[in-house]
Amino acid sequence: MANKDLYFMKMAIEEAKKAFDAGEVPVGAILVYKENIVIAKGYNQREFTQNPLFHAELIVINKGSKILKQWRLDETSLYVTLEPCPMCAGAIVQARIKKLIYGAQDLKGGGVSSLMNIPGDLRLNHQVEIVSGILEEECGSILKEFFKKLRIEKKTD
């Protein structure tokens, strides 16, 4: 595990905390250009926007494309606190992202290793280098805390 992976994942966790504070599922993402330049940060915003497409990964891919003025993000690495869903995994492939680094697995909805492996599917025209488990416990604990809080709030309603 590289020190830079820890550094950027900690930044993604800070984004996830913003989502938590906003009442969103706490997933954060960071898009890094050429190994060390952060070009986009984001967190889930589905509740705020009432739009199912506003996942952290899609937000930073969109921002990164605007900043680089291109859809091919082949010189970028994406750091995300939770294993991307199939929609986001597909977008990662479509954007030609070079490397995906994620923290916690999503056993119920993961599109990278848990349920399927979209970014590594050799039938597709692009495969993504994958690194998983970076700060996994910390990434998972914020999600567990969020859903525990949500269950408690539902019981009191």
Side-chain angles (χ1 to χ4, degrees):
M1 176 180 348
N3 284 337
K4 72 176 178 124
D5 288 345
L6 294 173
Y7 175 78
F8 291 125
M9 188 59 74
K10 286 178 183 178
M11 290 179 75
I13 290 168
E14 289 305 310
E15 292 298 307
K17 288 176 181 176
K18 292 177 187 176
F20 185 102
D21 292 342
E24 300 278 354
V25 174
V27 176
I30 303 292
L31 190 64
V32 177
Y33 178 64
K34 292 191 175 182
E35 305 293 323
N36 62 0
I37 303 166
V38 175
I39 60 169
K41 298 178 183 181
Y43 57 87
N44 279 357
Q45 295 182 34
R46 292 188 311 170
E47 296 300 328
F48 175 72
T49 62
Q50 289 299 297
N51 186 326
L53 302 177
F54 275 65
H55 286 210
E57 300 94 323
L58 297 183
I59 289 168
V60 299
I61 288 170
N62 189 43
K63 286 179 181 179
S65 293
K66 286 180 180 178
I67 288 165
L68 295 177
K69 295 181 172 65
Q70 62 184 18
W71 64 268
R72 285 183 183 89
L73 302 177
D74 55 353
E75 294 187 78
T76 65
S77 298
L78 176 63
Y79 290 80
V80 62
T81 57
L82 180 66
E83 175 185 355
C85 72
M87 174 180 69
C88 293
I92 290 164
V93 171
Q94 290 299 315
R96 309 298 194 264
I97 289 173
K98 181 180 178 180
K99 186 175 180 181
L100 167 67
I101 304 93
Y102 69 90
Q105 282 191 301
D106 184 353
L107 299 176
K108 294 181 179 179
V112 177
S113 65
S114 295
L115 298 179
M116 55 194 72
N117 181 5
I118 294 168
D121 191 325
L122 297 176
R123 296 170 295 177
L124 299 173
N125 63 342
H126 177 72
Q127 287 77 46
V128 181
E129 181 184 343
I130 307 293
V131 177
S132 63
I134 303 296
L135 297 176
E136 183 174 12
E137 189 173 317
E138 195 172 341
C139 291
S141 68
I142 191 170
L143 287 156
K144 289 175 188 169
E145 183 182 342
F146 176 80
F147 287 111
K148 181 179 178 182
K149 180 181 174 215
L150 201 61
R151 284 190 297 275
I152 291 169
E153 288 173 358
K154 284 188 178 184
K155 284 183 182 180
T156 61
D157 285 347

